Amino acid sequence: LNSKGVELEFAAQASKHLSIDYNVGYTNAQFESLEIAQNGLNSILNGNKQIFTPDLSSMLAIQYEKNLNNNLKGFIRTEWKYTGTTYFDLSNNIKQSPYNLINASTGIQLNDISLKIWTRNLTNQRYISYAYDFGAVHLGDPATSGLTISVRF
């Protein structure tokens, strides 16, 4: 296996209330020499891509946070996530084309108690989360929303 890549990360406090985080990663992982038995035959898979390794991944998050009074603060956050081409079998027959996910959340915190409303996969993007060459495929979660209440002790 020959694997090369690079990852860059950026974080900025754009203003007193606004933060921006961005990261991007590129990976070129492929087999230099790979021979496997498949359906009673030997298959030479030289040059095929590594499984479960997207070629490109990226995430941008923007968060606005503000103290509303001495003990109460609120926030709103949006995230964009990109996942590039991903292969799920050594033959590179099962693959997921690039896709985007949008997540959002908003909430408040009063001392040690917080309340957050969130949505993941806001656009209801259909994608393969993982798959195996024996036929098992798991789709990614559809648009999902929830409420989280947390208490710190």
Side-chain angles (χ1 to χ4, degrees), residues 114-132:
S114 65
L115 172 74
K116 179 166 69 169
I117 300 168
W118 51 267
T119 299
R120 294 187 196 113
N121 192 5
L122 188 66
T123 60
N124 204 31
Q125 174 70 48
R126 289 181 52 94
Y127 64 98
I128 298 172
S129 178
Y130 59 88
Y132 299 101

Side-chain angles (χ1 to χ4, degrees), residues 30-93:
Q30 61 187 32
F31 293 97
E32 291 178 342
S33 175
L34 178 63
E35 185 174 348
I36 63 170
Q38 197 172 35
N39 299 324
L41 303 170
N42 282 352
S43 294
I44 298 173
L45 305 175
N46 300 347
N48 282 20
K49 297 291 186 175
Q50 171 68 22
I51 61 175
F52 303 111
T53 307
D55 58 350
L56 189 64
S57 60
S58 186
M59 192 274 300
L60 172 66
I62 300 172
Q63 181 164 315
Y64 183 84
E65 185 174 276
K66 185 171 183 177
N67 289 331
L68 304 173
N69 67 33
N70 289 341
N71 299 320
L72 182 67
K73 66 179 174 180
F75 78 92
I76 187 166
R77 178 182 177 92
T78 59
E79 298 173 348
W80 163 76
K81 294 183 179 184
Y82 173 87
T83 302
T85 303
T86 306
Y87 294 93
F88 298 104
D89 66 327
L90 292 172
S91 298
N92 289 175
N93 292 323

